Amino acid sequence: MPELSRVYAGDPRPTHKVIYAEYQGDHVLRIAFNTGEVVDVDFKKGFSGSAFRPLQEEGMLKRFEIQHGVLTWSDGEIDVAPEYLLDVGKMIEEAVTA
């Protein structure tokens, strides 16, 4: 039987999804992704603008949820793209590649 090959449409890189988050203190969340990467994100840096102003309050920041692989607050009214979290976060663990 002939060997099968794989074909990807578009970008072959995996879509990043948040699978775990934990509040670390001092406005920092540790966030793990489906790709194996883990970052610490400081919400005092890189989150200016009125949309993110509520996250400056520690109590609000702690009330996050993960919805469909995206970190959200206030029943989805505030969300942050996983790719942005990777960009602004401090890498703790690199992705595991085959």
Side-chain angles (χ1 to χ4, degrees):
M1 180 171 236
E3 186 176 319
L4 298 176
S5 61
R6 293 188 175 132
V7 178
Y8 294 96
D11 192 346
R13 293 177 295 173
T15 301
H16 287 94
K17 293 183 179 183
V18 174
I19 59 169
Y20 176 82
E22 180 180 357
Y23 186 71
Q24 299 290 299
D26 197 26
H27 290 83
V28 174
L29 290 179
R30 179 159 291 168
I31 302 166
F33 299 88
N34 62 322
T35 54
E37 293 150 309
V38 178
V39 297
D40 280 350
V41 177
D42 186 344
F43 279 80
K44 291 186 291 186
K45 302 175 184 173
F47 290 90
S48 59
S50 61
F52 297 114
R53 190 167 293 126
L55 301 182
Q56 298 305 310
E57 179 190 325
E58 186 178 31
M60 176 66 153
L61 181 61
K62 289 179 176 181
R63 293 192 301 269
F64 61 85
E65 295 180 5
I66 300 170
Q67 296 180 357
H68 308 288
V70 177
L71 206 55
T72 68
W73 292 263
S74 296
D75 293 325
E77 289 183 27
I78 303 171
D79 63 40
V80 181
E83 292 79 11
Y84 184 71
L85 294 169
L86 275 168
D87 286 345
V88 300
K90 177 184 173 190
M91 189 68 64
I92 303 300
E93 290 185 33
E94 298 284 338
V96 177
T97 56

